[in-house]
């Protein structure tokens, strides 16, 4: 929000430098993000002075040029200036751009006036035309000034160039009361109280408002006073639409607004002055001389001021005449009812509309106007009529005309001020310091908070209705603290801390154990937004559009739905990192997915893993190895082992269509994990060109199978024995089949089965491969002898031969 310092000084008389005022505003919670300089004319006519043309002679070498001598009033001898204007003559007072002055062309590009020669004659400056100074468009000749002006008078003084400083305030959404120059001035006044600087807040007077004649009455009907609790209006006739005077244009330009015409400019002026949005209707376009505030049928077409036809909703509040809508209440005007050059009479509206209704309507139609910005945050309902009178008087001042009706003020149920009781003990507890009671009272009075009663325990307060964000005791304490100053609170050297003894759930403990395990394996935890774009469902046929949980009031289209899968937010993170030269990534996330099912809303917890890039960073004594499927599976197995499910699961084909290849891991028939390599078509959507491995643990299902019972066994006293077999097998047989047969063959003594080599190629029959498998055998009650060991190995070999057709190499 932009606040003009000159404008601010109309309400509060301070002579501080802008830096001091900016510092005070920031301390009060209205953070000043920057201070910009404004000039009503670019360059501010710096370097332009009044010159007195003493002589004017024809140029000896150019028919259209003249050589002049000009007194610049600086105490130095007159300077010679070559001028090509046909109307230059001796005795004139003219604007002169001195050496070093910067002027601006029509495109706003600067050029500097330098000493030079024109056709052999020296020229020390430039006598300027109207357009060269930016004061108009005429270039017929130089600008001739009043002969009474003294040479050397600054140009910015002659032409009343206004300079200003503009504060860029980062306004927080709760500070609806500060959305105007008057509101900011009100805050400054409160902030000055504790600095012992008592200044008066100057309120624009409306005492001159009067009805001139009652010749143009517009009837007003409000059909829904919940959506329009207060509605005021008045007619003004005999006005003349034309450009606004310079002072009004400069005020609007300073805060970044483009002047339109005198009536529209006044409504914008009052909006930024007092925070009350207004709207002017062409009275001759109000059919039936009747204004009706109501909702219309859904699907009604309406063309707004930006020439866009919009389809109205049944909840949109509209300002209508007898035959149809004229304006979207509190948001945007209509094309066919606005003020034009031909307008001679207006109906001026000032109202208080329901903030929620305005916010929904503005969001629905993707409109964000100065009016909706204020209405949807909550304006002051008590100044509706006052702002109307203020605007009416200004319109009469800049556009002429007469007030031709009484003010219509429909306010069936007054919006009452809030009442709060403030406990002194609570103030001390929250702030951490006991503030003097008189200081608290002074701050509250400075904030326009009325004191109803005072007791030993606290104060009964009445909060003005324009402070929509102050409705609780804690809000009042925050107000006291921001005016008192956070920097003024003393801190002790003693540090008080509370150690929480709240019990952690078993689920949290398991999650923490696995998170620590993954971190020890080199993974980094990520946390992605649960809000995402609904378009991601197009990347997988497993995701359904009707299952999307859609936000009613989204921040943007890219954050308008809850995620159905955690894959895409993870790929966003990977793409972000790769684009910043971090391509070797191990990421994990505990999070939730959301679905809108026919049976109701569903929320599921998941653990996801992402692996991409190289196993290790580049090193001189180590070859670069890419991450692969088997490394990833090892990480997954380590998690299953840690939670005691390693021997309870089986592998199934993967079902999700986001994988190019992969596996599902199930307990019984229930799939608890899906993992594999992501399809290139999915990766392409995120501009990822390297392989990405992804695992999705359904953490909710896994919780059912985790046992909290921990079994301890003694470390065996007797040695283990290792034996190897080199098996020649069909290339279609997997190690999992070998593993299962071995486990079924010897369940008690066979402790470990490891595949340590796979060979396929030269010297082997076609369609065959070789598995080198090691077996760890151990009896926990005695030392095994060779006969017992050979018996086990023979049994394994026989079962491999019979069930897999294996033979020894």
């Amino acid at each position: 929000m932009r606040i003009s310092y000159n404008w601010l000084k109309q309400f509060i008389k301070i002579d501080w430098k802008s830096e001091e005022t900016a510092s005070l505003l920031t301390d009060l919670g209205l953070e000043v993000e920057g201070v910009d300089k404004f000039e009503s004319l670019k360059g501010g006519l710096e370097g332009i002075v009044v010159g007195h043309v003493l002589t004017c002679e024809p140029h000896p070498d150019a028919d259209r040029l003249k050589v002049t001598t000009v007194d610049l009033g600086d105490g130095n001898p007159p300077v010679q200036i070559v001028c090509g204007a046909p109307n230059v003559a001796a005795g004139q007072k003219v604007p002169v751009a001195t050496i070093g002055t910067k002027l601006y062309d029509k495109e706003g590009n600067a050029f500097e006036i330098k000493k030079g020669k024109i056709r052999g004659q020296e020229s020390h400056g430039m006598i300027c035309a109207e357009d060269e100074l930016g004061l108009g468009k005429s270039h017929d000749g130089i600008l001739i000034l009043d002969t009474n002006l003294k040479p050397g008078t600054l140009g910015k003084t002659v032409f009343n160039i206004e300079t200003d400083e503009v504060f860029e305030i980062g306004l927080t959404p709760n500070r609806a009361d500060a959305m105007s120059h008057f509101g900011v001035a009100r805050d400054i006044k409160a902030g000055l109280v504790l600095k012992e600087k008592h200044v008066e807040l100057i309120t624009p007077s409306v005492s001159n408002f009067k009805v001139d004649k009652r010749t143009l009455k517009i009837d007003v009907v409000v059909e829904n006073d919940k959506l329009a609790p207060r509605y005021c209006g008045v007619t003004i006739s005999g006005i003349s639409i034309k450009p606004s005077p310079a002072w009004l244009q400069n005020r609007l330009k300073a805060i970044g607004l483009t002047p339109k015409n005198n009536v529209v400019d006044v409504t914008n002026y009052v909006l930024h002055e007092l925070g009350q949005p207004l709207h002017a209707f062409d009275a001759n376009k109000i059919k039936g001389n009747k204004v009706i505030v109501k909702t219309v049928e859904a699907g009604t077409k309406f063309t707004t001021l930006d020439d866009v036809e919009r389809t109205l909703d049944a909840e949109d509040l509209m300002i209508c005449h007898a035959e149809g809508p004229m304006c979207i209440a509190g948001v945007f005007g209509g094309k066919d009812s606005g003020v034009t050059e031909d307008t001679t009479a207006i109906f001026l509206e000032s109202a208080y509309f329901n903030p929620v209704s305005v916010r929904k309507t503005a969001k629905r139609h993707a409109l964000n106007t100065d009016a909706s910005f204020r209405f949807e945050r909550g304006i002051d309902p008590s100044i509706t009529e006052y702002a109307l009178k203020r605007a009416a008087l200004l319109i009469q001042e800049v556009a002429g005309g007469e007030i031709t009706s009484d003010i219509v003020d429909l306010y069936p149920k007054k919006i009452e001020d809030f009442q709060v009781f403030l406990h002194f003990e609570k103030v001390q507890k929250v702030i951490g310091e006991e503030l003097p009671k008189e200081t608290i009272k002074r701050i509250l009075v400075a904030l326009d908070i009325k004191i109803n009663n005072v007791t030993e325990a606290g104060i009964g307060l009445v909060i003005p209705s324009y402070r929509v964000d102050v409705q609780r005791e804690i809000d009042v304490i925050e107000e006291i603290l921001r005016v008192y100053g956070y920097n003024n609170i003393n801190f002790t050297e003693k540090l008080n801390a509370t150690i929480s003894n709240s019990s952690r759930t078993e689920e949290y403990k398991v999650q923490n154990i696995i998170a620590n395990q993954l971190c020890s394996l080199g993974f980094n935890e990520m946390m992605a937004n649960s809000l995402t774009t609904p378009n991601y469902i197009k990347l997988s046929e497993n995701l359904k559009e009707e299952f999307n949980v859609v936000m009613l009031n989204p921040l943007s289209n890219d954050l308008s739905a809850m995620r159905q899968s955690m894959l895409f937010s993870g790929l966003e993170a990977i793409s972000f990192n790769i684009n910043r030269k971090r391509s070797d990534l191990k990421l994990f996330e505990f999070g939730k997915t959301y679905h809108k099912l026919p049976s109701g809303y569903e929320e599921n917890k998941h653990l996801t893993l992402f692996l991409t890039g190289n196993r290790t960073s580049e090193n001189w004594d180590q070859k670069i190895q890419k991450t692969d499927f088997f490394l990833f599976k090892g990480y997954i197995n380590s998690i299953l082992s840690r939670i005691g499910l390693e021997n309870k699961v089986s592998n199934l084909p993967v079902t999700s269509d986001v994988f190019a290849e992969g596996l599902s891991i199930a307990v019984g028939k229930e799939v608890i994990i899906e993992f594999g390599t992501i399809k290139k078509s999915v990766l392409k959507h995120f501009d990822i060109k390297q392989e990405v491995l992804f695992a999705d643990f359904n953490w909710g299902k896994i919780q059912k199978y985790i046992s909290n019972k921990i079994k301890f066994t003694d470390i065996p006293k007797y040695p283990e024995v290792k034996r190897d077999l080199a098996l020649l097998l069909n290339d279609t047989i997997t190690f999992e089949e070998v593993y299962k047969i071995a486990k079924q063959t010897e369940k008690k003594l066979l402790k470990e089965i490891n595949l340590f080599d796979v060979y396929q190629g030269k010297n082997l029959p076609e369609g065959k491969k070789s598995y080198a498998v090691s077996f760890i055998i151990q009896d926990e009650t005695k030392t095994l002898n060779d006969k017992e060991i050979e018996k086990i190995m023979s049994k394994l070999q026989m079962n491999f031969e019979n069930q897999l057709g294996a033979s020894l190499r």
Side-chain angles (χ1 to χ4, degrees), residues 412-447:
K413 186 178 180 181
K414 185 180 178 181
I415 297 174
E416 299 295 338
D417 294 338
F418 308 112
Q419 294 195 19
V420 174
F421 189 83
L422 178 69
H423 296 83
F424 292 128
E425 184 182 354
K426 184 69 176 289
V427 175
Q428 181 181 351
K429 184 178 180 181
V430 172
I431 294 178
E433 181 179 327
E434 185 176 3
L435 302 185
K437 294 179 181 178
E438 287 305 314
T439 300
I440 293 174
K441 292 176 187 177
R442 285 170 59 202
I443 292 173
L444 293 172
V445 171
L447 289 168

Side-chain angles (χ1 to χ4, degrees), residues 562-606:
M562 305 292 280
R563 61 183 177 183
Q564 289 193 47
S565 169
M566 292 170 60
L567 167 63
F568 307 116
S569 53
L571 292 178
E572 285 178 346
I574 289 173
S575 176
F576 183 89
N577 278 274
I578 290 174
N579 289 337
R580 284 151 184 81
K581 306 300 181 184
R582 293 180 60 88
S583 56
D584 303 334
L585 301 168
K586 292 179 178 180
L587 303 174
F588 75 94
E589 179 186 9
F590 282 98
K592 293 181 179 180
T593 59
Y594 308 86
H595 299 79
K596 182 184 178 183
L597 303 176
S599 57
Y601 290 99
E602 184 178 87
E603 180 178 299
N604 297 312
K605 190 164 189 177
H606 292 258

